[in-house]
Amino acid sequence: MTDQPSDDNQTGANALWGGRFAGGASDIMQRINASIYFDRRFYRQDIAGSRAHCSMLVAQGILSADDGHAILKGLDQVEAEIAAGSFEYDPAKEDIHMHVEARLSELIGEPAGRLHTARSRNDQVATDFRLWLRDEIDALEPALRELQSALLDRAEEHADTLMPGFTHLQAAQPVTFGHHMMAYVEMLGRDRGRFADCRRRLNESPLGAAALAGTSFPIDREATASALGFDRPAANSMDAVAARDFAMEYLAAAAILSVHLSRLAEEIVNWASAQFNFVTLGDGFSTGSSIMPQKRNPDAAELVRAKAGRVIGDLNALLVVIKGLPMTYSKDMQEDKEPVFEVADTLSLTVPAMTGMLGDLTVNREVMEAAARQGFTTATDLADWLVRQLGLPFRRAHNVTGSLVKLAEERGVDLDGLSLADMQAVEGGITEAVFDVLGVHNSVASRVSFGGTAPSRVRAAIAEARRKL
Ligand code: ARG
């Protein structure tokens, strides 16, 4: 992502905090200490925070209007230089906060040194990180909606397409492919809810907490909070600089989302195999093999499945870094950013990749429907018929159906391939009417309970989901 530190050893004490230091940091100290390689990623948020802080200092009479003006102008230029890629980074300046201030001081001189009045890098970094993550969540939301909408499109097309529903990956009962797609729409709806909750809780401003204890300057934390779009200032200055649960929450939501994506990816891998042949992947999301010319590999699905591992690892990394840290800031907390950046980058690939794959695949309707018939998938319908029509207790009906399945298996036929005489030999009360429930279409159409797989229910669920979207 970013350049590695240069090997140039800087001599002389750090210009920003080196007042009590006689010599410079060793090269390896600079390398381990610096976060500029990754935290430069939130320069915009850092500069936005500085603008809000500067304007507030002026409004409160802590900074003169002239100094404030010079600082704001200088910050514009620093931002433009960074955006243009002409900015020079130097590991001796540690992090983005010090880079911005150092450049500001080159540009405007003495007033730059007044910007850090009544704040610390501790409240600064916590503010930047929250702002950055808030933007990231806001960018993820439409991507998740697009994925839901791709699932809804497929669900709508295939509200009547039969497929086997599985438990234990054994054919269980026929369902529709539309119903199966809608299961993921539900999961993603909850995922979106988790990110929205996280955003709501993180939207408090640490700025003005200063190093940890607040400040003796007459600052206005409400003003900086509202200038930055926060709902309110964080209530406790120690918590404000020490809390990282907002990042943990984001990573936890991302890990759950990634697990959901991974499950769907696994299904696509299965479905695309010659053995299932339920779907055919488009050229856009498959790769060939360098030795086996017949292959069409589901690489994108496999990678979405695998990347869940990375995301779960990043959540784990942050939890373990923060675990056991005493109040308030410790430098350990500098290690909080890379896992979050990596996860944001990963989601920006996996979510649209899944959306793309869903749009690109062909559903092999006949194959799915044929598979829906295999494995005596209407056995439950038969047992239910025995309960409803003959008044058998369900346990007895289950037993009778089991015997009929065994018989069909011996004869090498489906349940509806048994003769009425065969059936009556097992349970005398069975009539010709039983054949109505043995077909897979009837089975699916009969599952009209709320949340069930009947095409009428699936269509209603799609309409409701579209309305919510
Ligand atoms: N680069 C630091 C970080 O990412 C900024 C905060 C530094 N604060 C300090 N007290 N050294 O955490």
Side-chain angles (χ1 to χ4, degrees), residues 17 33-36 38-39 42 94-98 120-126 244 329-337:
W17 49 247
N33 202 31
S35 54
I36 187 61
F38 48 88
D39 65 16
F42 47 55
E94 283 186 41
D95 56 28
I96 188 62
H97 325 294
M98 286 169 48
S120 149
R121 278 188 293 157
N122 296 349
D123 57 339
Q124 222 183 330
V125 73
R244 289 296 182 272
Y329 179 87
S330 298
K331 192 73 173 217
D332 306 54
M333 291 164 77
Q334 181 164 288
E335 291 285 312
D336 60 359
K337 291 163 207 65

